[in-house]
Amino acid sequence: MLWEPSGGVPYCSFPAGADLSRMLIPFSMKNCFRLLCQHKVPTAGFKSPPTHGLILQSLSNDVYENLAIEDWIHDHIHLEGKPILFLWRNFPSVVIGRHQNPWQECNLPLMRQEGIKLARRKSGGGTVYHDMGNINFTFFTTKTKYDRMENLKLIVRALNAVQPQLDVQPTKKFDLLLDGQFKISGTASKIGRTAAYHHCTLLCSTNRTALSSSLRSPYRGIKSNATPSIPATVKNLLERDSTLTCEVLMSAVAAEYAAHHQIDDHVNLINPADETMFPGINSKVKELQSWEWVYGRTPKFTVDTTFHVPYEQAHLEIQVFMDVKNGRIETCDIKAPDHWLPLEIGDKLNSSFIGSKFCPIETTLLTNILLRTCPDDHHLQSKWNILCEKIRGIM
């Protein structure tokens, strides 16, 4: 499956009457980073020594661009004594952890149908659903200052500042629970040689139906050592209190972060697609969009399943076994009864799949090419089409 990047830079919306002068201010990224950071690599515009931390918010709602900015900051910004909070939201997308298997974690056919993007992040952890009702916070620090629990407690303080009656507590697994039972935030992190970041979600008004259906895999028979997600019962903060909008919550967390770190509480807008401000960002985005990263980085897994095809007044069982490494089929053994599909055609199908992507698009191309080599037998070609449709259904 291939996803196309969204065109252009989306807009951010704010509620009527919002105090934008406090929440967000336009600014020059070049001047901002001159005040903030010592860039690790020579780049125009990043020359002055650091003095303060920053609160940033993305102008983009593209998941690949926002994930790319995370790693750009991690790779290029000197964070000693200068923490950064990054706020961002995405259009509907599913984000899997670095070591996860998307076929086990997601409903890929539904996501293709609904145009929900799939992304693999550079951090570990489980799979999450993003939309405009979900807020993402990324806390950047040096490795020595990395503290997930401190960050979660900061969010709790911010929530209580807005609504003191909220019962929100961090857990030992670094989640946030509402009323002791509903998960409203999950955590993941990346720890480098000198820098680290901790990012977490916050469910404000997300589409819970889309969340549930997107994160329910329809596939069976997959065996893998990939990191599994742990299901949880979730709830939106907006369901608890109608005043807890995304804009209100982002502003509250930004204010609490600024007070805690004694920095300016202005939220600075950034455009993650701006190559002049973030040199090399486009190559990071392209990597995150690539099939080789999203699917090819899946840990090795096997598919061992069966399905049935109609035959006269009954159904025949077809057995499928595949080894998949780096997202490509390494071994393939599809067994159909000889009297239903000639052995030589089955063997041709098996051999043709080896080395191909475990992907319905590539499978369709391969099977269409092979179909042209089959005898001009309508009955046989009908069986072939049924078999290939079933095989595509396991991908």
Side-chain angles (χ1 to χ4, degrees), residues 279-298:
I281 192 68
N282 288 337
S283 63
K284 286 184 177 290
V285 173
K286 288 179 181 177
E287 177 195 0
L288 292 170
Q289 291 171 332
S290 69
W291 189 95
E292 287 72 21
W293 173 256
V294 177
Y295 296 97
R297 292 300 293 262
T298 301

Side-chain angles (χ1 to χ4, degrees), residues 22-169:
R22 178 172 179 80
M23 293 170 59
L24 302 166
I25 60 169
F27 80 118
S28 161
M29 271 303 300
K30 187 177 292 187
N31 292 337
C32 177
F33 275 100
R34 279 199 178 115
L35 292 173
L36 170 66
C37 302
Q38 179 66 48
H39 207 264
K40 293 182 182 178
V41 296
T43 305
F46 300 92
K47 298 178 180 178
S48 300
T51 57
H52 301 291
L54 267 185
I55 302 172
L56 308 176
Q57 181 173 331
S58 177
L59 278 168
S60 173
N61 302 123
D62 181 89
V63 63
Y64 306 113
E65 291 179 352
N66 287 325
L67 289 173
I69 281 293
E70 282 192 316
D71 286 293
W72 193 97
I73 292 173
H74 174 273
D75 293 346
H76 294 355
I77 300 299
H78 183 70
L79 296 164
E80 184 62 46
K82 277 71 58 180
I84 295 176
L85 172 64
F86 177 45
L87 301 89
W88 46 293
R89 291 187 291 167
N90 295 319
F91 290 138
S93 50
V94 170
V95 184
I96 60 175
R98 184 183 183 110
H99 307 294
Q100 291 197 292
N101 182 321
W103 290 275
Q104 287 181 302
E105 300 293 333
C106 314
N107 189 333
L108 295 176
L110 174 69
M111 291 167 60
R112 296 183 195 111
Q113 178 181 327
E114 299 296 326
I116 299 172
K117 295 181 179 181
L118 176 66
R120 182 188 297 273
R121 59 180 182 266
K122 296 293 182 76
S123 62
T127 300
V128 289
Y129 173 82
H130 289 186
D131 63 15
M132 292 298 289
N134 171 76
I135 309 168
N136 297 283
F137 300 103
T138 309
F139 298 85
F140 294 91
T141 62
T142 59
K143 182 178 180 179
T144 56
K145 295 291 185 180
Y146 166 79
D147 190 335
R148 287 185 291 180
M149 186 57 72
E150 178 184 280
N151 297 334
L152 294 177
K153 289 179 178 178
L154 186 151
I155 293 175
V156 171
R157 292 196 302 272
L159 293 176
N160 288 146
V162 176
Q163 175 47 272
Q165 301 304 316
L166 278 181
D167 176 14
V168 178
Q169 299 295 332

Side-chain angles (χ1 to χ4, degrees), residues 281-343:
I281 192 68
N282 288 337
S283 63
K284 286 184 177 290
V285 173
K286 288 179 181 177
E287 177 195 0
L288 292 170
Q289 291 171 332
S290 69
W291 189 95
E292 287 72 21
W293 173 256
V294 177
Y295 296 97
R297 292 300 293 262
T298 301
K300 184 176 180 178
F301 65 98
T302 62
V303 178
D304 189 355
T305 189
T306 60
F307 53 79
H308 295 86
V309 295
Y311 179 68
E312 295 180 350
Q313 302 301 316
H315 288 83
L316 295 177
E317 184 177 86
I318 309 294
Q319 297 177 315
V320 178
F321 181 86
M322 294 179 179
D323 282 316
V324 183
K325 183 179 181 181
N326 298 326
R328 293 180 178 272
I329 300 171
E330 197 172 44
T331 64
C332 181
D333 187 12
I334 301 170
K335 294 180 179 178
D338 293 350
H339 65 277
W340 187 78
L341 190 73
L343 181 62

Side-chain angles (χ1 to χ4, degrees), residues 1-2 103 290-292 295-296 322 324-330 352-364 366 395:
M1 171 175 65
L2 297 176
W103 290 275
S290 69
W291 189 95
E292 287 72 21
Y295 296 97
M322 294 179 179
V324 183
K325 183 179 181 181
N326 298 326
R328 293 180 178 272
I329 300 171
E330 197 172 44
S352 69
F353 281 156
I354 294 175
S356 68
K357 294 176 181 177
F358 189 73
C359 164
I361 295 176
E362 186 148 326
T363 298
T364 299
L366 282 172
M395 296 182 177

Side-chain angles (χ1 to χ4, degrees), residues 218-254:
Y219 303 109
R220 300 292 179 267
I222 294 179
K223 298 179 181 178
S224 172
N225 291 325
T227 303
S229 295
I230 301 173
T233 304
V234 301
K235 192 171 187 176
N236 283 309
L237 286 165
L238 201 66
E239 297 174 60
R240 181 73 161 73
D241 186 328
S242 61
T243 67
L244 299 178
T245 65
C246 287
E247 290 76 20
V248 166
L249 295 178
M250 287 190 291
S251 182
V253 172

Side-chain angles (χ1 to χ4, degrees), residues 19-25 251 255 265-267:
D19 183 2
L20 302 188
S21 64
R22 178 172 179 80
M23 293 170 59
L24 302 166
I25 60 169
S251 182
D265 68 350
H266 286 146
V267 178

